[in-house]
């Protein structure tokens, strides 16, 4: 219990700090890097709960693929930096108050719930690759195939959104 | 720690920690020495020093970030070694110490993830050291990296289907005293070799050659040395996947163990494993040297139009053969 | 580890994400905050998949891993959202030369 407890607090602090980093950092680069740190912290929580497959999928898909996509998007977008974002103080204060209220309401809603422990019962092998694979390819086969179709349609749709229908700009003007 | 926890021997953890710290320190020392030698013997070309690390993009604190990225990439590369078993067991005193972290059933996926995270190192390196056409360099690198990593991932999947497991220990023990995987999966083996040869060289592409050519600080030297660490460890990984790992060819390991005991077998297996790794690393270095002649746009085209379809066909063919 | 700790942690991350969506005007950071909220939800899914096992008449292992499979699909959905979002951001960046979402007000006319 001791080691799990300490690791939980370390990972939770890391996740909280990374989330705050996303929120408050002025530069988008640091937001993206904080997001990657956050994904690693959450993967650490998964490993702590013995959900190894999800931990590694989280690292591969979110920290790997999605983080890289964010970085490349940042590279493209940062390269023509000319606008300063408009800051509206009242909207910021209202947003902070609203989200804090949401936090209070959500926490109050579960405060009466019965106490439960996250238990790793030996022998069930939940969260291991073979168990998830068995379930995924027997009971959840149709959702799995449909999600594959979704990914394919996203691939096509992204290209359609991003494709340049106008004549290409002068490449000399796109400099870093 | 019982049940379905990951059980880890404490001695093994200490060994891996010492390995990671020692190799990181050694590479750092080597990088400093390279930087010193560069400063002494090469006259630095104008405008390529460490000073102008991409001030336009990183802003106020660029160098700390780039240094941290270099160290992190090195540590991530060394982390690959933590899931590769180096032998069966060794007897210290009266107890058997198994030389692998028991039941890491995500071992192969873990190595793929660590390999994939190397893209951040390449991005950081290009972001900081390429001066002209930085966006183009970044996108060429990304395209090449994604092609190679994707092809390698697709090449490993048929092996997982053959072994019906993602545990590296299982994959090795299936090849023990049996046919090596390379005889079932020759295309996959070749794809892994090509991919590793491309990925492990930060100065592979033309942009990379521009980076590596001029005299640079120790951070850039560290990136380049990380490539060698990655090359060696991926050679180990390929050996474990396709060439039977620590298994001794032509003789039955079981009989050897009965005859000579655990420790002698451990030494023999170590010799066998090292020999195989040296062979694979030699082939990798040769491949890298050959591929260096080609332009990166050609490599990207081969990667997307040749290697990835080949990996897909290999995957589909293996699936058909296994089911039929 | 008590489940309450994890639940409160997930709520905390979720509210930080909401705060980011409400206060930041940068579209990329906005998308990151949405991903943050998705991550909090995925964390809760995994926690509850493990919590099921504590009850005396708990589900079998096969049923408990449904939570993790749902989390797997949620990770995929997060990736889909991220990629599509970046595509949309880039599309409107090309029109407006900015990633400030206040510029989307122009779409009214």
């Amino acid at each position: 219990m001791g080691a799990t407890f300490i690791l939980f607090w370390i990972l939770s602090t890391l996740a909280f700090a990374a989330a705050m980093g996303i929120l408050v950092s002025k530069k988008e680069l640091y937001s993206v890097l904080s997001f990657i740190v956050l994904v690693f912290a959450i993967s650490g929580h998964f490993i702590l709960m013995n959900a190894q497959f999800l931990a590694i999928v989280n690292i591969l898909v979110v920290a790997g693929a999605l983080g890289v996509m964010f970085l490349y998007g940042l590279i493209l977008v940062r390269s023509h930096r000319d606008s300063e974002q408009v800051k509206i103080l009242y909207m910021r204060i209202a947003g902070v108050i609203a989200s804090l209220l949401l936090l209070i309401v959500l926490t109050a809603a579960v405060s009466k719930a019965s106490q439960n422990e996250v238990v790793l019962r030996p022998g069930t092998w939940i969260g291991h690759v073979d168990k998830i694979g068995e379930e995924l390819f027997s009971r959840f086969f149709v959702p799995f195939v449909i999600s594959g179709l979704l990914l394919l349609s996203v691939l096509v749709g992204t290209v359609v959104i991003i494709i340049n229908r106008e004549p290409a700009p002068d490449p000399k003007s796109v400099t870093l | 720690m019982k049940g379905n926890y990951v059980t880890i021997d404490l001695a093994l953890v200490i060994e891996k920690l010492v390995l990671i710290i020692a190799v990181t320190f050694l590479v750092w020392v080597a990088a400093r020495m390279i930087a010193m030698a560069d400063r002494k013997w090469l006259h630095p070309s104008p405008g390529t020093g460490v000073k102008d690390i991409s001030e336009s993009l990183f802003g106020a604190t660029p160098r700390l970030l780039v240094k941290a990225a270099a160290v992190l990439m090195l540590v991530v590369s060394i982390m690959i070694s933590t899931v590769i078993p180096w032998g069966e067991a060794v007897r210290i005193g009266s107890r058997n110490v198994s030389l692998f972290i028991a039941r890491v059933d995500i071992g192969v996926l873990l190595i793929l993830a660590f390999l994939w995270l190397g893209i951040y190192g390449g991005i950081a390196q290009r972001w900081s050291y390429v001066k002209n056409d930085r966006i183009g360099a970044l996108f060429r690198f990304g395209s090449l990296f994604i092609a190679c990593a994707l092809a390698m991932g697709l090449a490993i999947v048929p092996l997982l289907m053959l072994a019906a497991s993602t545990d590296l220990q299982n994959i090795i023990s299936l090849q023990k005293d049996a046919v090596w995987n390379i005889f079932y999966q020759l295309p996959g083996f070749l794809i892994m070799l090509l991919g590793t040869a491309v990925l492990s060289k930060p100065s592979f592409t033309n942009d990379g050659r521009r980076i590596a050519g001029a005299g640079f600080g120790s951070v850039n030297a560290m990136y380049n040395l990380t490539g060698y660490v990655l090359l060696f460890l991926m050679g180990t990984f390929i050996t474990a996947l396709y060439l039977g790992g620590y298994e001794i060819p032509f003789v039955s390991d079981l009989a050897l163990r009965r005859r000579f005991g655990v420790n002698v077998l451990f030494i023999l297996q170590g010799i066998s494993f090292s020999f195989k790794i040296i062979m694979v690393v030699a082939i990798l270095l040769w491949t890298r040297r050959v591929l260096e002649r080609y332009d990166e746009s050609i490599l990207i085209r081969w990667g997307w139009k040749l290697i990835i379809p080949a990996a897909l066909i290999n995957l589909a063919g293996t699936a058909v053969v296994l089911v039929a | 580890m008590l489940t309450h700790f994890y639940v409160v942690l997930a709520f905390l991350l979720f509210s930080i994400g909401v705060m980011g969506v409400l206060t930041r005007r940068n579209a990329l950071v906005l998308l990151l905050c949405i991903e943050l909220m998705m991550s909090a939800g995925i964390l809760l899914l995994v926690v509850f998949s493990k919590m099921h096992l504590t009850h005396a008449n708990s589900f079998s292992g096969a049923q408990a891993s449904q939570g993790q499979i749902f989390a797997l699909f949620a990770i995929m959905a997060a990736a889909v959202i991220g990629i599509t979002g970046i595509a949309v951001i880039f599309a409107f960046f090309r029109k407006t030369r900015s990633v400030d979402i206040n510029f989307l007000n122009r779409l009214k006319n």
Side-chain angles (χ1 to χ4, degrees):
Chain A
M1 191 63 192
T4 316
F5 198 72
I6 293 166
L7 278 175
F8 171 82
W9 280 108
I10 289 173
L11 288 172
S12 300
T13 317
L14 191 64
F16 179 71
M20 288 309 282
I22 296 175
L23 182 61
V24 300
S25 59
K26 287 249 177 4
K27 292 194 169 66
E28 301 106 320
L29 176 69
Y30 293 109
S31 287
V32 174
L33 292 181
S34 305
F35 177 67
I36 293 164
V37 171
L38 175 97
V39 172
F40 273 94
I42 285 182
S43 286
H45 274 303
F46 288 173
I47 287 177
L48 214 59
M49 287 184 282
N50 211 3
Q52 304 175 2
F53 182 65
L54 273 182
I56 207 74
V57 165
N58 207 19
I59 287 178
L60 257 177
V61 174
V62 183
L66 203 54
V68 169
M69 282 302 132
F70 271 111
L71 264 187
Y72 274 106
L74 188 70
I75 290 162
L76 282 176
V77 166
R78 272 291 301 253
S79 55
H80 319 248
R81 190 149 182 83
D82 56 350
S83 74
E84 191 67 24
Q85 63 184 41
V86 186
K87 295 191 180 83
I88 308 167
L89 188 64
Y90 294 119
M91 262 188 84
R92 292 200 153 189
I93 293 172
V96 170
I97 290 174
S99 53
L100 284 180
L101 280 178
L102 178 72
L103 176 62
I104 291 169
V105 168
L106 283 175
T107 317
V110 295
S111 64
K112 291 282 170 59
S114 60
Q115 299 264 322
N116 272 307
E117 290 239 354
V118 174
V119 167
L120 312 172
R121 185 186 287 175
T124 51
W125 296 97
I126 291 168
H128 286 245
V129 180
D130 9 7
K131 205 76 199 172
I132 285 188
E134 271 172 26
E135 283 286 298
L136 201 58
F137 282 100
S138 55
R139 288 190 61 187
F140 295 93
F141 184 67
V142 177
F144 185 59
V145 172
I146 290 173
S147 62
L149 284 178
L150 175 65
L151 284 176
L152 186 67
S153 58
V154 163
L155 185 70
V156 177
T158 308
V159 173
V160 168
I161 289 173
I162 228 169
I163 201 163
N164 205 353
R165 294 187 197 83
E166 295 148 21
D170 184 18
K172 289 277 166 19
S173 68
V174 184
T175 49
L176 209 46
Chain B
M1 300 281 265
K2 277 267 179 272
N4 55 4
Y5 272 108
V6 175
T7 52
I8 302 172
D9 216 317
L10 190 66
L12 200 68
V13 174
I14 292 169
E15 183 242 314
K16 300 293 186 201
L17 269 180
V18 168
L19 183 80
I20 289 175
I21 294 169
V23 175
T24 311
F25 182 71
L26 281 178
V27 171
W28 181 73
V29 168
R32 291 307 291 239
M33 281 166 69
I34 290 173
M36 263 165 59
D38 273 6
R39 224 171 293 138
K40 213 162 205 160
W41 291 312
L42 293 178
H43 51 92
S45 45
T48 50
V50 196
K51 283 233 171 69
D52 47 12
I53 292 177
S54 100
E55 267 124 17
S56 61
L57 281 169
F58 276 125
T61 54
R63 266 194 261 174
L64 185 69
L65 212 59
V66 175
K67 275 182 188 168
V71 176
L72 276 179
M73 280 314 114
L74 184 59
V75 171
V76 161
S77 300
I78 303 167
M79 290 271 270
I80 290 178
S81 73
T82 53
V83 281
I84 296 175
W86 301 94
E88 252 173 12
V90 61
R91 181 176 284 274
I92 301 171
S94 62
R95 70 195 192 100
N96 274 337
V97 178
S98 64
L99 285 168
F100 48 92
I101 302 171
R103 299 290 128 202
V104 188
D105 64 349
I106 47 168
V108 176
L109 295 176
L110 206 65
I111 289 175
L112 276 184
F114 287 148
L115 186 72
W116 175 254
L117 288 178
I119 195 172
Y120 287 112
I123 290 175
Q125 196 191 17
R126 271 153 189 78
W127 206 333
S128 17
Y129 290 110
V130 175
K131 283 216 79 173
N132 312 319
D133 190 20
R134 195 182 274 137
I135 289 185
L138 279 163
F139 274 82
R140 278 192 295 275
F141 167 73
S143 181
L144 190 58
F145 193 101
I146 291 171
C148 290
L150 200 61
M152 285 165 85
L154 287 173
I156 289 179
V157 172
L159 272 190
L160 304 184
M161 283 170 11
L162 279 176
S165 165
T166 44
D167 191 347
L168 208 50
Q169 184 64 30
N170 277 355
I171 294 176
I172 291 178
S173 51
L174 271 180
Q175 301 173 62
K176 207 182 287 175
D177 305 332
V179 185
W180 287 351
N181 275 336
I182 184 174
F183 297 114
Y184 297 123
Q185 284 294 324
L186 189 60
F189 178 70
L190 295 178
I191 289 169
M192 287 293 283
L193 280 185
L194 283 176
T196 307
V198 175
L199 289 195
S200 65
K201 185 143 187 161
S203 57
F204 190 83
T205 59
N206 280 341
D207 304 311
R209 219 175 292 152
R210 235 184 296 149
I211 294 167
F216 276 108
S218 54
V219 178
N220 190 45
M222 203 146 167
Y223 276 119
N224 291 339
L225 289 175
T226 303
Y228 284 101
V229 173
L230 191 68
L231 181 94
F232 183 79
L233 289 172
M234 284 307 291
T236 316
F237 180 50
I238 292 173
T239 311
L241 279 182
Y242 290 96
L243 297 175
Y246 51 75
E247 193 248 356
I248 305 169
F250 309 122
V251 257
S252 165
D253 284 30
L254 204 63
L256 278 178
R257 184 178 185 167
R258 284 215 193 94
R259 186 140 178 220
F260 297 112
V262 177
N263 276 350
V264 176
L265 182 68
F266 166 67
I267 293 168
L268 288 177
Q269 281 176 341
I271 292 169
S272 158
F273 202 7
S274 316
F275 186 71
K276 287 180 201 169
I277 292 170
I278 288 168
M279 294 291 288
V280 170
V281 167
I283 296 172
L284 277 174
L285 285 171
W286 177 71
T287 317
R288 212 164 74 151
R289 196 79 186 127
V290 170
L291 285 181
E292 203 179 34
R293 307 280 158 198
Y294 293 95
D295 195 58
E296 58 197 345
S297 56
I298 298 175
L299 287 177
I300 293 170
R301 206 178 305 143
W302 284 355
W304 284 102
K305 291 190 176 167
L306 219 71
I307 310 264
I308 289 180
L312 277 173
I313 291 169
N314 182 29
L315 174 60
T318 313
V320 167
V321 169
L322 274 181
V323 168
Chain C
M1 204 72 231
L2 283 174
T3 325
H4 277 197
F5 287 98
Y6 280 112
V7 174
V8 171
L9 172 68
F11 284 167
L12 205 58
L13 294 181
F14 189 85
S15 343
I16 290 174
V18 171
M19 207 183 285
V21 170
L22 290 179
T23 55
R24 297 295 298 259
R25 299 287 93 188
N26 188 326
L28 264 172
V29 179
L30 215 80
L31 202 58
L32 279 173
C33 287
I34 292 171
E35 295 293 327
L36 170 61
M37 291 196 275
M38 292 288 288
S39 292
I42 292 165
L43 180 64
L44 265 190
L45 279 174
V46 177
V47 169
F48 288 145
S49 83
K50 288 290 180 183
M51 194 193 79
H52 275 316
L53 295 172
T54 47
H55 293 294
N57 53 349
S58 68
F59 299 118
S60 65
Q63 274 170 319
S65 58
Q66 284 175 13
Q68 300 205 358
I69 286 174
F70 199 75
L72 196 65
F73 287 129
I75 288 175
M76 191 210 69
V80 165
I81 289 171
I83 299 299
T84 320
I86 290 170
V88 170
I89 286 173
F90 191 65
F92 86 73
F93 169 77
R94 244 192 343 225
K95 289 255 186 295
T96 65
R97 293 280 141 194
S98 161
V99 288
D100 197 329
I101 58 163
N102 284 336
F103 277 82
L104 283 180
N105 286 337
R106 288 177 188 172
L107 289 181
K108 275 181 194 162
N109 304 321

